[in-house]
């Protein structure tokens, strides 16, 4: 191990370190950017403390110990000027201040060389370099690693504009932990146990973070693996509404069928009596002696016929189906097939139907696909029902208006 030239008495050694501490403290308080929440005076003081402990454990001479502690005080001084590459600016500031204190040039060179090793691309060959790097990276083997990591994350976001998701940051910190190492036996002995614990804690944190992210994603997008109560309520409400609308359409159609059937019965009776002329009850009715009355009655008959036909078509059962081909894709995942409706599965063999239902029960996304398909075709049937029902009511309304107008014209004609 290299031994530095002997410095003046011990009192002077303690004095130079004390003055370096005061200088760095004043410099950081005055000029350190506020965004540096990790590389702060606290970090520098911690590195000095760890460097002193490592130097003592490594058995450094007093001269080497002094150089190591001075290098620790100045190793981040360059942050007041520049962020990336601050190590080289730290070397300049250390040289400038130590020269002003009359510190020997050869010792300044050793201190600068020690600071240089803290740059990520520089080599760490001498014991002093390795001890300072280990002290600078001591947070990897301390209990406050996670807290300091969050401070570094905030600093990078502020100073460098780098933003990370929780998962990305956890991954980067785990990679950094695994990819880092301690150079000296003193550091390995001091930090090994907590370093392993920090690696495990970071792995556990990453798993928890990934699980939370997955859970949030599932809650935001909704998953088929764990259907929410809201999804079930939605399907239940849609099915209920479709059934009610279908029932209303059938009731209205039946009403039109009954009404128009009565009208047609009366009109047919009228024409039968007019043509036969054998009914005494009807032959004396004045209307039967007026052939012109046949016109409005004919209009009313056509109206009733058109209205009842469309109403019957509306009430007529409509079964949607499909043509099954053996070359078709999987039944349960085919979006055009609805195994929950008899009009579809009745076209299948029992084996194909059983296979499809088993597949639905295994894959919940297939179940939702079939339910969505079922609702779609229910809506398609309802559209046809209400279109025919509207046509039936329209025919009936227009026919009644024409019948009334024609009766009015007949009355005017007869008068």
């Amino acid at each position: 191990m290299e031994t530095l030239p002997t410095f003046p008495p011990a009192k002077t050694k303690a004095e130079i370190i004390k003055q370096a501490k005061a200088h760095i403290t004043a410099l950081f308080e005055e000029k350190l950017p506020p965004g540096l929440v990790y590389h702060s005076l606290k970090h520098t003081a911690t590195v000095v403390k760890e460097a002193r402990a490592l130097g003592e454990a490594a058995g450094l001479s007093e001269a080497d110990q002094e150089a190591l502690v001075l290098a620790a005080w100045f190793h981040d001084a360059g942050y007041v000027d520049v962020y990336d590459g601050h190590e080289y600016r730290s070397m300049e500031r250390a040289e400038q201040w130590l020269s002003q204190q009359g510190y020997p040039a050869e010792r300044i060179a050793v201190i600068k060389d020690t600071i240089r090793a803290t740059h990520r691309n520089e080599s760490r060959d001498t014991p002093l370099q390795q001890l300072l790097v280990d002290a600078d990276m001591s947070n990897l083997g301390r209990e406050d690693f996670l807290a300091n990591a969050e401070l570094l994350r905030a600093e990078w976001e502020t100073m460098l504009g780098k933003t990370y998701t929780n998962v990305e940051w956890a991954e980067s910190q785990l990679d950094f932990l695994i990819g880092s190492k301690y150079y000296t036996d003193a550091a390995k002995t001091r930090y090994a146990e907590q370093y392993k614990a920090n690696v495990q804690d970071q792995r556990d944190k990453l798993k928890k973070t990934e699980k939370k992210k997955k859970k949030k994603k599932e809650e935001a997008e909704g998953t088929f693996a764990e259907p929410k109560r809201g999804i079930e309520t939605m399907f239940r409400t849609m099915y209920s509404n479709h059934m009610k609308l279908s029932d209303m359409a059938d009731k209205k159609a039946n009403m039109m069928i009954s009404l128009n059937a009565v009208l047609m019965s009366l009109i047919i009776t009228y024409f039968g009596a007019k043509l036969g002329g054998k009914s005494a009850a009807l032959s004396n009715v004045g209307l039967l002696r007026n052939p012109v009355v046949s016109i409005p009655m004919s209009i009313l008959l056509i109206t009733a016929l058109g209205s009842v036909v469309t109403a019957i078509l509306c009430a007529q059962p409509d079964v949607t189906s499909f043509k099954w081909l053996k070359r078709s894709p999987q039944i349960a995942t085919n979006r055009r097939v609805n195994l929950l409706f008899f009009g579809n599965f009745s076209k299948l063999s029992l084996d194909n139907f059983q296979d499809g239902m088993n597949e639905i029960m295994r894959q919940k996304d297939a179940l939702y696909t079939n339910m969505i398909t079922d609702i779609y075709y229910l809506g398609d049937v309802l559209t046809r029902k209400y279109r025919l029902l509207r046509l039936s009511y329209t025919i009936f309304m227009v026919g009644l208006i024409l019948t009334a107008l024609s009766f009015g014209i007949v009355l005017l004609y007869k008068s």
Side-chain angles (χ1 to χ4, degrees):
M1 183 178 297
E2 180 182 359
T3 302
L4 298 178
T6 305
F7 197 67
K11 182 179 180 181
T12 308
K13 295 178 184 177
E15 187 67 24
I16 192 67
I17 292 176
K18 183 177 179 180
Q19 290 176 358
K21 175 182 178 181
H23 173 70
I24 294 298
T25 301
L27 179 67
F28 277 22
E29 289 177 351
E30 180 182 353
K31 296 184 178 181
L32 191 69
L36 271 70
V37 293
Y38 174 75
H39 292 101
S40 60
L41 179 61
K42 179 182 177 182
H43 167 73
T44 297
T46 301
V47 172
V48 171
K49 176 184 175 183
E50 297 297 327
R52 183 179 283 112
L54 292 176
E56 292 175 354
L60 291 182
S61 65
E62 291 185 8
D64 286 345
Q65 179 79 346
E66 178 184 299
L68 178 62
V69 172
L70 286 172
W73 274 115
F74 279 93
H75 84 285
D76 277 347
Y79 271 118
V80 301
D81 303 308
V82 64
Y83 197 90
D84 193 20
H86 69 277
E87 296 87 354
Y88 304 114
R89 182 59 183 147
S90 298
M91 294 164 58
E92 295 174 1
R93 281 190 168 273
E95 181 180 22
Q96 181 182 5
W97 186 83
L98 289 170
S99 297
Q100 292 175 355
Q101 309 306 312
Y103 207 70
E106 63 273 17
R107 293 174 64 101
I108 294 176
V110 172
I111 292 172
K112 288 175 58 181
D113 193 52
T114 303
I115 295 174
R116 180 186 289 107
T118 59
H119 191 280
R120 58 184 176 276
N121 296 329
E122 295 288 349
S123 60
R124 292 85 185 253
D125 301 321
T126 69
L128 289 181
Q129 289 175 339
Q130 293 176 354
L131 286 168
L132 181 59
V133 171
D134 285 348
D136 195 22
M137 303 299 292
S138 62
N139 67 301
L140 302 183
R142 298 202 311 268
E143 294 181 357
D144 58 354
F145 167 74
L146 292 177
N148 287 329
E150 290 303 316
L151 291 177
L152 182 61
R153 179 182 180 181
E155 181 177 304
W156 282 3
E157 289 181 358
T158 302
M159 303 302 296
L160 303 178
K162 294 182 177 180
T163 57
Y164 299 85
T165 64
N166 290 335
V167 174
E168 291 172 344
W169 182 252
E171 289 175 345
S172 69
Q173 290 302 291
L174 180 59
D175 292 341
F176 184 68
L177 275 169
I178 296 174
S180 301
K181 67 176 182 177
Y182 288 113
Y183 293 91
T184 63
D185 293 336
K188 292 175 183 177
T189 301
R190 184 176 177 84
Y191 307 122
E193 184 176 349
Q194 187 60 45
Y195 170 79
K196 292 180 181 178
N198 288 340
V199 171
Q200 187 59 47
D201 288 345
Q202 192 63 31
R203 283 176 174 156
D204 294 341
K205 183 179 180 181
L206 179 59
K207 290 179 181 178
K208 291 179 180 178
T209 304
E210 288 178 337
K211 183 179 290 187
K212 288 181 180 179
K213 180 182 178 182
K214 183 179 179 181
K215 185 176 181 180
K216 288 182 179 179
K217 183 178 180 181
E218 290 175 352
E219 289 176 352
E221 297 179 356
T223 63
F224 292 140
E226 298 179 4
K228 304 300 180 184
R229 184 181 299 273
I231 298 177
E232 297 173 353
T233 302
M234 178 192 71
F235 277 112
R236 190 181 301 112
T237 302
M238 292 183 72
Y239 271 116
S240 176
N241 290 341
H242 279 71
M243 295 299 101
K244 289 179 181 179
L245 289 171
S246 180
D247 185 57
M248 287 173 58
D250 290 340
K251 287 181 179 179
K252 291 179 181 294
N254 289 331
M255 183 179 69
M256 291 301 294
I257 292 171
S258 300
L259 177 60
N260 285 285
V262 172
L263 284 176
M264 290 178 65
S265 298
L266 293 175
I267 295 170
I268 291 172
T269 301
Y270 162 74
F271 279 112
K274 183 174 179 66
L275 293 174
K278 295 181 180 180
S279 175
L282 293 174
S283 61
N284 294 325
V285 177
L287 291 174
L288 297 181
R289 302 197 205 101
N290 301 310
V292 181
V293 177
S294 300
I295 297 175
M297 297 299 289
S298 299
I299 295 175
L300 187 59
L301 177 61
I302 295 172
T303 297
L305 180 61
S307 182
V308 76
V309 168
T310 51
I312 291 172
L313 291 175
C314 173
Q316 184 181 21
D318 188 8
V319 179
T320 56
S321 61
F322 78 109
K323 185 177 181 181
W324 168 250
L325 300 175
K326 290 186 178 180
R327 63 175 181 272
S328 298
Q330 288 288 339
I331 303 172
T333 55
N334 188 341
R335 294 193 303 170
R336 297 183 62 83
V337 180
N338 174 24
L339 287 182
L340 306 180
F341 181 60
F342 76 93
N344 279 189
F345 67 70
S346 62
K347 303 295 182 181
L348 302 175
S349 66
L350 177 60
D351 291 338
N352 286 333
F353 176 66
Q354 290 175 339
D355 290 341
M357 291 300 293
N358 287 328
E359 190 174 349
I360 287 177
M361 288 185 286
R362 286 193 302 268
Q363 303 178 23
K364 292 187 178 181
D365 57 337
L367 172 61
Y368 280 107
T369 298
N370 276 265
M371 292 175 70
I372 292 170
T373 303
D374 192 30
I375 291 174
Y376 175 83
Y377 284 121
L378 283 175
D380 188 49
V381 171
L382 277 180
T383 300
R384 177 179 175 276
K385 279 180 174 289
Y386 276 89
R387 183 171 59 248
L388 291 171
L389 187 61
R390 181 182 180 84
L391 181 60
S392 176
Y393 273 82
T394 301
I395 293 173
F396 187 73
M397 178 184 67
V398 173
L400 287 181
I401 294 173
L402 293 177
T403 301
L405 289 175
S406 62
F407 264 116
I409 294 173
V410 168
L411 292 176
L412 290 175
Y413 173 77
K414 293 300 294 181
S415 62

